[in-house]
Amino acid sequence: MKSLLVGLSALVASIPLMIGNAAAQSPYAGMQARPIKALSAEQIADLKAGRGLSLALAAELNGYHGLRHVLELGEQLWLADQQRAVV
């Protein structure tokens, strides 16, 4: 019984070490410090420059045009200035 208690105590004492080690090995480690956690600095710069987020594939596979493509085809789609401004 005494050895069981010693073993259990050692296991409980090592839990914070196991948790800390798992967090350090996460592929997302460090991303929580980003201005927008889910976007890299390059993705934010692309978005600000109007280059999009490469989401057109998902949109087009579901029957929609990607936002950038809609803007590029604005003349053919007869987009009003007000519609372009919303984007």
Side-chain angles (χ1 to χ4, degrees), residues 3 5 7 13 17 23 31 34 37-40 43 47 57 61 65 69 74 76 79 86:
S3 62
L5 288 175
L17 295 174
M31 290 184 182
R34 292 177 173 182
K37 292 171 181 52
L39 300 178
S40 69
Q43 289 171 317
L47 186 59
L57 175 63
L61 288 175
H65 293 290
H69 298 148
Q76 293 91 329
L79 291 181
V86 171

Side-chain angles (χ1 to χ4, degrees), residues 70-71 73-76 78-87:
V70 169
L71 291 174
L73 297 170
E75 294 290 323
Q76 293 91 329
W78 301 315
L79 291 181
D81 290 337
Q82 187 178 18
Q83 290 172 306
R84 292 175 197 258
V86 171
V87 176

Side-chain angles (χ1 to χ4, degrees), residues 1-84:
M1 182 72 164
K2 188 175 183 180
S3 62
L4 178 63
L5 288 175
V6 170
L8 188 57
S9 296
L11 178 63
V12 170
S14 67
I15 289 175
L17 295 174
M18 291 187 291
I19 293 171
N21 192 29
Q25 294 175 355
S26 170
Y28 308 114
M31 290 184 182
Q32 67 274 13
R34 292 177 173 182
I36 301 175
K37 292 171 181 52
L39 300 178
S40 69
E42 182 181 355
Q43 289 171 317
I44 293 170
D46 286 345
L47 186 59
K48 286 181 177 179
R51 290 189 287 268
L53 289 173
S54 302
L55 299 176
L57 175 63
E60 291 180 11
L61 288 175
N62 287 288
Y64 300 94
H65 293 290
L67 180 57
R68 182 175 178 193
H69 298 148
V70 169
L71 291 174
E72 289 173 353
L73 297 170
E75 294 290 323
Q76 293 91 329
L77 294 171
W78 301 315
L79 291 181
D81 290 337
Q82 187 178 18
Q83 290 172 306
R84 292 175 197 258

